[in-house]
Amino acid sequence: MAISAKLVKELREKTGAGMMDCKKALQETDGDLDKAADYLREKGISKAAKKADRIAAEGIVHVASKGNDGVIVEINSETDFVARNVEFQQLVKDVADHILETKPADIEALNASEMNGKKVEDVMNEAVAKIGEKLTLRRFALAEKTDNDAFGEYLHMGGRIGVLTLVEGSTDFQAAKDVAMHAAALNPKYVSKDEVSQEELDHEREVLKQQALNEGKPEKIVDKMVEGRMRKYLEEICIVDQPFVKDADQTVAQFLKSKGGELKTFIRFEVGEGLEKRQENFADEVMGQVNK
């Protein structure tokens, strides 16, 4: 049957798919708009499967809060170009808001949950078809506070790094945000030394001891040297002991104490950390597209 341009336009607006895909879908379904939308959805899932072996190590992190609940989420794309796409950024925000509303236990539960009448997994697959890249809903974390606490939300470089802090005993949101910025910059591993395992402490102490001995330091002063270096090591990895980035004359703990609070926790996500990065020659990639 003949498919009108008006019908194609309507399907495009409904699905966001390309014009030729919309026309083919309508032809395959005898002009039935709903069936055509389902056809494109199925096609989108097929496209998503074909992209499953690609590396998605770009993307953005988003931080949000509502009332006493906070969330940080990372969704990956294949290229930084897509990460700057307005529709992709809106998708990440929508997913973050959905997590705040539903509080899923994990990624599996999140994918199976319904967002605007569709499973999140289907929403992601439709985005793959529309955007044309593999997208991965990689991770998220939730935090909960009381009315006497504050969340700090900070995004660096448009979401390349995101940090969510929880400060107890103070409602100074700016102070909490400043500590989030500090965590983004210095990348600490722990809140305090109480979180560092004895195994890690023993390992670092032994490494430092061997370093001192290899430097030719007398054995009788090695232990004292090691303890001094251990204090410096803990300062490097524990945020509350670090000199505050906005005022190096006080530690993060001292800064927050001056505001009447203390840091309960922080969550720091950096896009693609721990993932294999795709290494491609951009000129070759462009020529590959030209020659298709």
Side-chain angles (χ1 to χ4, degrees), residues 87-101:
E87 290 185 13
F88 175 73
Q89 293 174 355
Q90 187 60 52
L91 171 68
V92 179
K93 292 176 182 177
D94 290 344
V95 170
D97 290 342
H98 175 70
I99 294 170
L100 285 174
E101 290 292 333

Side-chain angles (χ1 to χ4, degrees), residues 59 121 129 194 218 229 234 272 292:
E121 184 177 20
D194 295 334
R229 292 180 180 181
L234 289 170
K292 282 186 177 179

Side-chain angles (χ1 to χ4, degrees), residues 30-277:
D30 295 324
D32 188 308
L33 200 62
D34 291 334
K35 288 182 179 179
D38 286 341
Y39 175 92
L40 286 171
R41 181 182 172 193
E42 292 165 7
K43 185 178 179 183
I45 293 171
S46 174
K47 285 184 177 180
K50 291 177 182 178
K51 293 176 173 64
D53 61 345
R54 296 190 186 177
I55 297 170
E58 296 295 334
I60 56 175
V61 174
H62 186 64
V63 185
S65 63
K66 183 177 181 182
N68 285 335
D69 297 308
V71 66
I72 179 169
V73 61
E74 176 185 356
I75 298 183
N76 299 121
S77 59
E78 292 181 62
T79 65
D80 183 54
F81 178 77
V82 163
R84 297 193 300 271
N85 179 287
V86 174
E87 290 185 13
F88 175 73
Q89 293 174 355
Q90 187 60 52
L91 171 68
V92 179
K93 292 176 182 177
D94 290 344
V95 170
D97 290 342
H98 175 70
I99 294 170
L100 285 174
E101 290 292 333
T102 59
K103 299 181 183 176
D106 50 31
I107 288 291
E108 184 178 357
L110 173 58
N111 278 321
S113 65
E114 285 202 0
M115 184 171 76
N116 298 324
K118 300 176 182 178
K119 286 186 178 181
V120 170
E121 184 177 20
D122 292 335
V123 171
M124 294 297 297
N125 282 328
E126 289 173 2
V128 169
K130 188 174 181 180
I131 292 173
E133 283 194 7
K134 177 183 178 182
L135 306 177
T136 304
L137 210 172
R138 184 186 183 196
R139 55 180 172 167
F140 72 91
L142 284 159
E144 188 175 343
K145 70 176 186 65
T146 72
D147 292 338
N148 299 318
D149 309 326
F151 286 131
E153 304 168 29
Y154 180 74
L155 292 174
H156 182 64
M157 294 178 63
R160 293 292 301 176
I161 299 172
V163 181
L164 175 66
T165 59
L166 170 53
V167 174
E168 289 188 328
S170 172
T171 57
D172 191 329
F173 299 103
Q174 185 58 50
K177 181 178 180 180
D178 287 344
V179 173
M181 180 183 67
H182 173 104
L186 272 69
N187 193 17
K189 291 175 64 178
Y190 306 103
V191 172
S192 70
K193 60 186 178 183
D194 295 334
E195 294 182 354
V196 186
S197 70
Q198 190 60 48
E199 182 181 6
E200 182 172 349
L201 290 172
D202 291 343
H203 173 76
E204 187 64 22
R205 189 173 278 110
E206 181 61 27
V207 170
L208 292 173
K209 180 178 180 179
Q210 293 304 319
Q211 283 180 350
L213 290 172
N214 290 337
E215 290 168 3
K217 300 294 191 289
E219 279 197 50
K220 61 181 179 181
I221 68 167
V222 164
D223 287 343
K224 188 174 181 179
M225 286 183 61
V226 167
E227 290 312 307
R229 292 180 180 181
M230 281 297 295
R231 284 192 293 272
K232 184 176 181 182
Y233 170 72
L234 289 170
E235 179 183 292
E236 290 174 351
I237 64 173
C238 299
I239 186 171
V240 295
D241 296 324
Q242 293 176 340
F244 183 43
V245 289
K246 284 194 168 184
D247 181 2
D249 291 333
Q250 58 181 337
T251 64
V252 169
Q254 291 168 337
F255 165 70
L256 287 176
K257 187 176 181 180
S258 72
K259 305 295 183 180
E262 63 177 298
L263 185 64
K264 173 67 174 177
T265 190
F266 73 92
I267 307 160
R268 183 186 188 276
F269 286 176
E270 184 168 346
V271 169
E273 58 189 345
L275 294 175
E276 179 186 357
K277 298 284 186 177

Side-chain angles (χ1 to χ4, degrees), residues 23-37:
K23 185 175 181 180
K24 182 178 180 181
L26 287 164
Q27 288 171 338
E28 293 289 333
T29 57
D30 295 324
D32 188 308
L33 200 62
D34 291 334
K35 288 182 179 179

